[in-house]
Amino acid sequence: IYVDTVALCFESASSAPPEISDVRWLPLGSIEKVLGGMNDPFHRLIEDVHDDGQVFGEAAGLVKSAALARVQPGNGIPAAMLALGARDRGAFHSGQSSDLLTFLARVTEMCVHRWLPDALN
């Protein structure tokens, strides 16, 4: 599987969230809408995805398949999602193992926890 684009998305109630390079901002509740509640799986593998640009931005037209993972950095940092996009339809699917996706999401959590509080100040 080749990943063509990656997005790091955070939820924000603000109509003008901080401008942080390479971060996508989603309305509150967006991540739960896509991934379900906290008791649901932390990821979703989508064979055929249609993004309006909210998640993948300028690369939305390229992305045909996606792997999405919940990122929970904690300590007041907003809910987040790691999104991997591939140009090949079916590149990600429900029959795949998600161990590496879960690992990437946990590493992202640790990095965000160290980086984002400073970026928000």
Side-chain angles (χ1 to χ4, degrees), residues 1 81 89:
I1 296 176
M81 179 174 69
R89 187 168 280 113

Side-chain angles (χ1 to χ4, degrees), residues 16-99:
E19 289 193 32
I20 302 172
S21 180
D22 299 322
V23 168
R24 310 280 311 158
W25 293 95
L26 305 173
L28 288 178
S30 296
I31 294 171
E32 188 169 314
K33 187 187 294 184
V34 173
L35 295 176
M38 294 305 290
N39 295 326
D40 291 321
F42 285 97
H43 67 277
R44 187 165 172 217
L45 302 173
I46 307 170
E47 283 186 64
D48 186 13
V49 70
H50 302 282
D51 178 31
D52 61 2
Q54 193 171 21
V55 173
F56 291 108
E58 305 79 37
L62 173 73
V63 175
K64 303 297 182 219
S65 186
L68 310 174
R70 189 183 316 271
V71 175
Q72 302 175 80
N75 292 339
I77 297 173
M81 179 174 69
L82 177 65
L84 309 178
R87 70 178 69 220
D88 297 323
R89 187 168 280 113
F92 297 105
H93 56 82
S94 61
Q96 289 175 308
S97 173
S98 60
D99 295 350

